[in-house]
């Protein structure tokens, strides 16, 4: 590939990895444009959305499109891409070396083990239970139910590829488990158990990015992320409400 082609590929890959890791739209666009300018592509233009990226190196070349298929919370991946872009801008890496580093992130970067994510979900649920002032006697039940809800949501999303169904069903199971825990004497506060246990499912980063993008003027990305966050919150609320209605 020519230097121009590999620069375009490198910028697109960097932008996709950042969006997949949960970065804001403005951050992905700024990173791509800085990388392009470091390779003397002064007239580069980028347009980033949650599901795709369009990039043009100059006015005389075709615009390239890259699809974004998955989006998770992986801020370590975002930090790694940012580090590579800074090294490229500072002339510590050539564009070929930067592209190879990004390819390594794409193929070799791993998230935390699933068992550790489950433990973290349980700890998060218990911590929020205490933070909101509920009885500490509910702590073991909240941790177990929060971890259970996270497992169900994750496995169902992998199986069905429908995020909102997975979160609805996970919230439904959380509601049933919380009610059962109170009924059997393992907990004393139904509201506290439910609130603490659904916290790992709440789209906090998505809401933050939606507001940040709207404030920065990225209305398409901001509204789409906001709609996704709203549907996620609605799915969680509907699952819990269905249990409480009975």
């Amino acid at each position: 590939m020519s230097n121009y082609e590999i620069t375009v590929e490198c910028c697109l890959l960097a932008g996709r990895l950042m969006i997949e890791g949960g970065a804001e739209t403005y951050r992905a666009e700024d990173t791509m444009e800085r990388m392009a300018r470091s390779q003397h592509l002064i007239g580069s233009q980028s347009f980033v959305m949650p599901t795709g990226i369009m990039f043009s190196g100059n006015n005389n070349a075709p615009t390239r499109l890259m699809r974004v298929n998955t989006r998770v919370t992986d801020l370590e991946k975002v930090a790694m891409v940012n580090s590579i872009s800074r090294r490229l801008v500072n002339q510590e890496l050539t564009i070929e070396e930067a592209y190879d580093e990004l390819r390594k992130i794409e193929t070799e970067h791993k998230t935390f083990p699933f068992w550790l994510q489950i433990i973290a979900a349980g700890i998060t649920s218990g911590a929020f239970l205490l933070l909101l002032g509920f009885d500490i006697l509910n702590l073991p039940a909240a941790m177990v139910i929060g971890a259970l809800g996270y497992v169900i949501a994750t496995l169902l999303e992998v199986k069905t590829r429908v995020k909102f169904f997975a979160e609805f069903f996970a919230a439904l199971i959380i509601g049933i488990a919380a009610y059962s825990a109170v009924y059997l004497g393992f907990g004393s506060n139904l509201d506290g158990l439910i609130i603490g246990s659904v916290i790992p499912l709440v789209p906090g980063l998505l809401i933050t990015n939606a507001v940040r993008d709207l404030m920065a003027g990225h209305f398409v990305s901001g509204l789409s992320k906001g709609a996704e966050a709203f549907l996620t919150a609605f799915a969680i609320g509907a699952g819990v409400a269905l249990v409480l209605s009975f």
Side-chain angles (χ1 to χ4, degrees):
M1 290 190 292
S2 66
N3 185 74
Y4 173 81
E5 291 174 332
I6 196 170
T7 300
V8 172
E9 288 292 332
C10 190
C11 292
L12 283 169
L13 181 57
R16 178 167 66 82
L17 291 175
M18 295 187 73
I19 294 300
E20 287 178 348
E24 308 96 314
T25 298
Y26 86 92
R27 187 183 301 276
E29 290 185 350
D30 181 66
T31 298
M32 294 170 66
E33 291 171 6
R34 287 176 184 271
M35 293 174 69
R37 285 200 301 270
S38 73
Q39 302 302 306
H40 310 294
L41 299 183
I42 307 302
S44 64
Q45 298 288 333
S46 61
F47 182 69
V48 176
M49 296 180 292
T51 56
I53 299 172
M54 288 184 285
F55 181 79
S56 175
N58 56 52
N59 295 330
N60 299 321
T63 299
R64 290 285 311 281
L65 172 66
M66 181 171 284
R67 178 80 177 176
V68 179
N69 294 314
T70 60
R71 296 184 304 278
V72 297
T73 301
D74 190 348
L75 299 184
E76 182 184 13
K77 180 187 286 187
V78 176
M80 293 171 70
V81 175
N82 271 334
S83 176
I84 292 172
S85 71
R86 283 192 289 268
R87 291 165 62 195
L88 177 65
V89 172
N90 293 332
Q91 305 299 318
E92 298 175 13
L93 292 175
T94 65
I95 190 63
E96 291 82 5
E97 292 171 339
Y99 183 68
D100 290 339
E101 291 288 336
L102 291 173
R103 290 285 295 173
K104 287 180 181 179
I105 294 176
E106 181 185 27
T107 57
E108 299 177 6
H109 176 67
K110 306 294 182 183
T111 58
F112 291 108
F114 188 48
W115 63 268
L116 187 57
Q117 296 179 41
I118 296 171
I119 293 175
I123 294 174
T124 301
S125 298
F128 268 89
L129 179 84
L130 298 179
L131 181 65
L132 296 173
F134 292 103
D135 194 338
I136 194 173
L137 296 176
N138 295 286
L139 182 61
M143 294 179 68
V144 171
I145 296 170
L148 175 65
Y150 181 80
V151 170
I152 292 172
T154 303
L155 294 181
L156 277 180
E157 184 174 354
V158 172
K159 186 70 174 179
T160 64
R161 300 294 181 182
V162 181
K163 180 180 180 182
F164 307 114
F165 171 77
E167 288 163 343
F168 168 79
F169 195 77
L172 181 68
I173 297 299
I174 286 174
I176 295 173
Y179 181 85
S180 300
V182 173
Y183 181 79
L184 296 173
F186 295 107
S188 60
N189 192 297
L190 180 61
D191 292 342
L193 287 176
I194 292 177
I195 293 172
S197 300
V198 300
I199 285 297
L201 306 180
V202 173
L205 180 64
L206 196 59
I207 295 172
T208 303
N209 284 351
V211 174
R212 182 64 183 84
D213 284 344
L214 287 172
M215 293 175 63
H218 297 281
F219 297 114
V220 174
S221 296
L223 289 175
S224 62
K225 291 178 181 178
E228 185 178 354
F230 171 78
L231 288 174
T232 299
F234 177 79
I236 295 171
V240 173
L242 185 62
V243 175
L244 296 179
S245 64
F246 290 102

